[in-house]
Amino acid sequence: VKIIYNDQIMDKNKVQIDIEDRGYQFGDGVYEVIRIYDGQLFTAEEHLTRFFSSAEKIKIVVPFPKEQLLRLIKQLINENKVNNGSIYMQITRGASPRNHVFPSAETKPVLTAYTKVVERPESALENGVEAIVADDIRWLRCDIKSLNLLPNLLAKQQATEKGCYESILHRDGTVTEGSSSNAYIIKDGKVKTHPATNLILNGITRQVIARLCDENQIPFYEEVFTVDELLAADEVFISSTTSEVMPVIRVDGKLFSDGKPGQITRKLQSLFLEEIKKMEK
Ligand code: PMP
C-alpha cells in the first residue's frame, strides 16, 4: 500500500517519522480529511483550500502548490484503488531538537497522506444517532484544523461511554459544534447553526448544506443558540465529511420528532445525496 510522503508517493513501510517530529511531540501541525465516493474526490478544492489556510494560520508553509498536492492525491487514490473511502493528510512543522520555539528555516515541514476504505454510515443515516451535551473545553482557535484534538477526544469518549455517537459542545450554555462535527437545530422550519467564528471549524459539509438551503428556499441562519434551544428544537442534526447529514434523534435523553429523523433533515439528506451523485457523473 502506498502513501504520500512530502512530494512523493512511496511504499508505506519505507517511510520513517522522526521521534522529534513536532507533530508527534507537540501536535504542531494541521490536517484534513477528504471523502472519496466512487473513486472521486468530493469537494476537494474546498478541503485543500482549508488545509492551506489552517497551515498558514499556524505559520507553516506547504512547500508546494495546491494543484500539485491534488495531483498527488489523485494518483494515490488510483494506485491504492480506493472506491469508497477517504484520504487523510497532515503537515507538521518538521523534525528538530525539541524546543517550543519554532525551528530555523532549514527545517522542512513533513507532509504525509494515506487513503482508507470507508463505507457510508447507511443505517445511522437512516435511523439517526444519539448525542450528549458536553462542555466545550477547547482553545479559542477552533477555526484551525489542528492536530491537537485532546479535548475533542475526551468529549467523543464521554459520548461513546454513554452509548452515544457524538458530544454536542457548549460554551457557557451556547452550543458551538460537535466534537468532530458541526451541529444544527431546526425550529419552526428554520435551520440554525453557530456562525463561522474562531469558536468552530467551518465544516466543508456545513458550507455545502448552507448552499443547498439557499438554493432550495430552506431558511438557514448562522446564529448562536443555547443548550435550552437545542433541547426544545423540532429537529437536530450534525454534519461532517464522514457523517454527511446525520440526524440526531435524542440528546441527553430528550427525544426529537418521536425518535425518527425529522422532515427537513430528511430533505437535506436527499439534497446532499444528489450532490454526491452529481459529482459522480
Ligand atoms: N467540527 C469539528 C471539530 C470537526 O472535527 C469536523 C470534522 N472535520 C467538523 C466540524 C466538520 O467538518 P467537515 O464537514 O469539513 O468534515
Side-chain angles (χ1 to χ4, degrees):
V1 59
K2 305 277 188 186
I3 62 128
I4 295 170
Y5 180 69
N6 296 326
D7 58 354
Q8 293 194 334
I9 293 191
M10 291 175 56
D11 278 332
K12 181 173 185 253
N13 56 21
K14 297 247 165 68
V15 176
Q16 288 191 343
I17 300 296
D18 197 293
I19 62 164
E20 285 190 309
D21 187 285
R22 295 177 62 91
Y24 184 55
Q25 289 195 319
F26 297 124
D28 188 3
V30 297
Y31 74 105
E32 198 58 55
V33 180
I34 313 180
R35 197 75 170 86
I36 304 159
Y37 294 115
D38 206 14
Q40 306 244 53
L41 289 160
F42 183 66
T43 54
E45 184 60 32
E46 291 84 345
H47 281 280
L48 289 177
T49 300
R50 187 172 65 184
F51 185 59
F52 276 69
S53 148
S54 286
E56 192 185 322
K57 284 172 177 177
I58 65 164
K59 301 181 164 67
I60 288 179
V61 180
V62 185
F64 43 81
K66 216 161 59 181
E67 295 67 34
Q68 190 179 345
L69 183 54
L70 182 59
R71 272 199 303 276
L72 275 169
I73 288 171
K74 285 182 174 166
Q75 196 184 334
L76 185 72
I77 292 169
N78 277 334
E79 293 205 18
N80 288 345
K81 299 186 175 49
V82 184
N83 193 34
N84 288 309
S86 61
I87 179 151
Y88 173 92
M89 70 201 76
Q90 68 168 46
I91 188 164
T92 76
R93 208 178 304 278
S96 178
R98 187 181 182 281
N99 186 339
H100 286 50
V101 177
F102 287 2
S104 63
E106 303 91 76
T107 301
K108 296 278 174 283
V110 173
L111 186 146
T112 49
Y114 65 92
T115 57
K116 193 171 132 182
V117 172
V118 190
E119 294 305 325
R120 299 184 60 232
E122 296 205 17
S123 94
L125 288 168
E126 183 54 34
N127 302 312
V129 297
E130 301 187 15
I132 59 168
V133 172
D135 248 351
D136 191 341
I137 60 167
R138 298 175 301 164
W139 69 333
L140 297 175
R141 291 306 305 276
C142 297
D143 55 310
I144 300 171
K145 207 163 166 56
S146 149
L147 294 179
N148 284 271
L149 288 173
L150 257 187
N152 308 63
L153 309 190
L154 292 171
K156 183 71 87 182
Q157 184 60 21
Q158 217 179 314
T160 304
E161 284 172 8
K162 291 186 171 155
C164 292
Y165 186 87
E166 180 62 303
S167 275
I168 297 178
L169 308 175
H170 74 92
R171 277 188 203 265
D172 298 324
T174 295
V175 173
T176 48
E177 61 180 338
S179 74
S180 63
S181 60
N182 290 111
Y184 311 73
I185 56 169
I186 301 169
K187 185 73 178 175
D188 302 326
K190 295 175 184 155
V191 183
K192 253 197 209 184
T193 195
H194 194 287
T197 64
N198 60 309
L199 298 182
I200 69 158
L201 183 78
N202 187 2
I204 304 302
T205 321
R206 178 188 181 279
Q207 296 168 39
V208 172
I209 291 166
R211 174 170 59 76
L212 291 174
C213 283
D214 192 50
E215 290 170 359
N216 293 277
Q217 291 78 47
I218 300 168
F220 183 86
Y221 294 87
E222 297 188 60
E223 276 176 17
V224 295
F225 56 92
T226 63
V227 172
D228 288 344
E229 283 178 270
L230 166 70
L231 296 173
D234 299 329
E235 301 177 33
V236 178
F237 71 93
I238 56 175
S239 78
S240 78
T241 295
T242 39
S243 292
E244 303 178 4
V245 177
M246 182 62 78
V248 176
I249 54 160
R250 197 198 293 266
V251 177
D252 275 358
K254 163 90 200 330
L255 212 58
F256 299 95
S257 51
D258 298 323
K260 287 194 262 327
Q263 215 182 322
I264 296 179
T265 308
R266 279 279 184 249
K267 173 77 183 163
L268 288 171
Q269 286 186 305
S270 75
L271 291 170
F272 194 81
L273 200 55
E274 280 174 35
E275 283 297 299
I276 298 172
K277 297 237 167 83
K278 250 188 238 169
M279 167 204 86
E280 286 173 352
K281 275 186 207 139

